[in-house]
Amino acid sequence: MKRIGVLTSGGDAPGMNAAIRSVVRYAVHNKIEVIGIFRGYAGLINEELKELNHRSVSNIINRGGTMLKTARCDEFLTEEGQRRAVQAIKKNKIDGLVLIGGDGTYRGGIELVKKWHLSCIGIPGTIDNDLNGTDSAIGCDTAVNTALEAIDKIRDTSTSMERIFVIEVMGREYGFIALQVALGGGAEEVLLPEKKFDFPRMCDEIVEGNIRGKVSWIIIVAEGAHLPDGQIAKAQDIAKKITEMTGLETREVVLGHIQRGGIPTARDRILATRLGAAAVELLMNGQNGKAVGVISDDINVVDLEFAVTKKELKVDNFYRLIKILT
Ligand code: ATP
């Protein structure tokens, strides 16, 4: 390995910068040149490349977002788009790639390895935390903390105004963020993609609570949660339905993109720093088509193909506790 490329792709996640810094400095330390590829696969196709040195990644460890920018790129889904990306890699004499992103980014990596015979290592960078082979992806800890901070503020108004709040959090088809913030934020209820939801039961509980004098509720909804009729559980619809069924006042909040931004937490920075170095180490050792992660505090390496398989979320114990402590 004389020269490697690094890119961030898909949704941005806090801590990606710390991973870039680690990749660059670990590689440079080992006399490997690093090419920063801007805007993910789109930038690879368009050759938006810049050599990065030790100094290029100064003062970014504490910054949210990604200095390399990120993008979603439909062209890369096509044979022609991939061919152009591969040409750019060959033309610029890049021997290996470090791909920081989520499952889509990893799927792109699988194509580059299997179809185009390139060397790629994946680093999990997604607030959804839906990749296998790691307890945590870079960004998810910050996202949980950001959502919690917002929920704490909503709780103040919920208690003062004696209202029911339905709060939608990110996470796509994986309920990780929702489950974490429901437990950490002391929510009364959580709707998850992984669990069938009994809407009438929740409304009965709200009415019974109301009779006992419990007037404020925090209900967390994962963006990928469904109602029993198969409809996506949107915060707005749930709030409306609760009012219809209980006669009580509700408000809905969609936390949205604030969950993606902000200063990465210590956990995310440390994870990103460890994984950046581990990815370069794998490339130096001639490994290919792998994803790095951390399981029980140890570096863990899996195939990219395994990393994108459906990750199981253990819901029951958390959910039980949420309901006992309500
Ligand atoms: P996040 O989890 O934060 O959304 P992600 O990496 O999953 O991040 P995607 O938009 O799904 O984000 O994927 C990023 C890019 O990876 C896509 O825009 C596309 O260029 C590429 N990609 C996704 N799926 C594939 C695939 N099956 N084959 C080749 N490339 C893919």
Side-chain angles (χ1 to χ4, degrees):
M1 284 283 151
K2 287 207 175 81
R3 175 182 265 203
I4 63 171
V6 57
L7 61 77
T8 49
S9 152
D12 56 310
M16 280 180 161
N17 276 326
I20 296 165
R21 172 182 177 270
S22 177
V23 167
V24 171
R25 292 199 170 170
Y26 199 83
V28 169
H29 174 81
N30 287 289
K31 313 263 179 293
I32 297 170
E33 287 175 9
V34 184
I35 302 296
I37 300 159
F38 287 77
R39 296 178 184 82
Y41 292 123
L44 187 56
I45 291 171
N46 298 321
E47 286 191 63
E48 292 183 60
L49 314 176
K50 188 181 167 201
E51 186 166 350
L52 302 176
N53 59 31
H54 191 94
R55 295 287 300 281
S56 325
V57 291
S58 297
N59 298 321
I60 62 164
I61 193 166
N62 55 340
R63 299 229 180 109
T66 158
M67 67 166 275
L68 291 176
K69 316 286 181 192
T70 182
R72 304 193 196 271
C73 173
D74 288 343
E75 197 182 348
F76 190 74
L77 298 173
T78 67
E79 173 108 6
E80 181 50 25
Q82 290 175 14
R83 191 184 309 282
R84 285 183 62 196
V86 173
Q87 269 169 6
I89 291 166
K90 299 224 159 117
K91 185 176 146 199
N92 289 281
K93 299 192 167 43
I94 294 171
D95 304 314
L97 283 177
V98 176
L99 310 169
I100 308 171
D103 65 313
T105 303
Y106 277 19
R107 284 181 214 283
I110 293 167
E111 291 283 297
L112 290 175
V113 172
K114 298 277 165 195
K115 207 153 121 199
W116 303 93
H117 312 293
L118 297 177
S119 289
C120 298
I121 301 292
I123 297 181
T126 166
I127 65 164
D128 303 342
N129 200 21
D130 55 354
L131 288 168
N132 255 313
T134 190
D135 290 335
S136 264
I138 296 164
C140 70
D141 186 59
T142 308
V144 166
N145 280 289
T146 304
L148 262 185
E149 209 183 307
I151 289 162
D152 287 346
K153 288 177 177 146
I154 293 165
R155 174 178 289 285
D156 289 346
T157 172
S158 158
T159 317
S160 306
M161 297 290 289
E162 305 192 316
R163 271 184 189 145
I164 299 165
F165 269 84
V166 180
I167 306 170
E168 190 176 306
V169 298
M170 281 184 165
R172 298 230 183 158
E173 292 302 310
Y174 197 59
F176 175 82
I177 295 178
L179 196 58
Q180 296 281 314
V181 299
L183 190 63
E188 276 76 16
E189 191 56 82
V190 56
L191 278 72
L192 301 160
E194 292 81 4
K195 195 167 174 65
K196 276 206 155 169
F197 192 71
D198 187 345
F199 205 87
R201 190 263 304 150
M202 176 180 72
C203 290
D204 288 348
E205 282 179 17
I206 292 174
V207 171
E208 283 161 24
N210 197 256
I211 293 165
R212 292 196 316 271
K214 180 176 173 50
V215 279
S216 68
W217 275 63
I218 303 267
I219 298 160
I220 305 293
V221 184
E223 73 174 321
H226 292 81
L227 292 171
D229 63 6
Q231 297 266 38
I232 286 275
K234 288 273 148 222
Q236 196 183 9
D237 302 333
I238 292 166
K240 205 169 140 212
K241 215 163 162 190
I242 293 172
T243 301
E244 278 167 18
M245 289 177 78
T246 65
L248 297 169
E249 219 180 321
T250 53
R251 290 287 183 278
E252 73 277 351
V253 179
V254 179
L255 292 186
H257 285 78
I258 63 161
Q259 293 161 96
R260 285 244 177 100
I263 296 169
T265 59
R267 266 194 75 180
D268 275 331
R269 294 185 210 187
I270 292 162
L271 177 70
T273 302
R274 292 180 72 194
L275 293 183
V280 175
E281 193 73 40
L282 286 186
L283 282 175
M284 284 163 55
N285 292 335
Q287 299 253 31
N288 189 11
K290 305 286 180 192
V292 288
V294 166
I295 300 262
S296 304
D297 221 27
D298 286 325
I299 294 288
N300 189 54
V301 179
V302 295
D303 289 336
L304 283 171
E305 273 122 328
F306 173 71
V308 298
T309 57
K310 195 166 171 52
K311 188 178 188 181
E312 190 198 350
L313 184 68
K314 294 203 174 86
V315 165
D316 291 344
N317 286 343
F318 267 45
Y319 189 78
R320 211 177 126 254
L321 202 48
I322 288 163
K323 295 310 292 176
I324 288 173
L325 302 180
T326 297

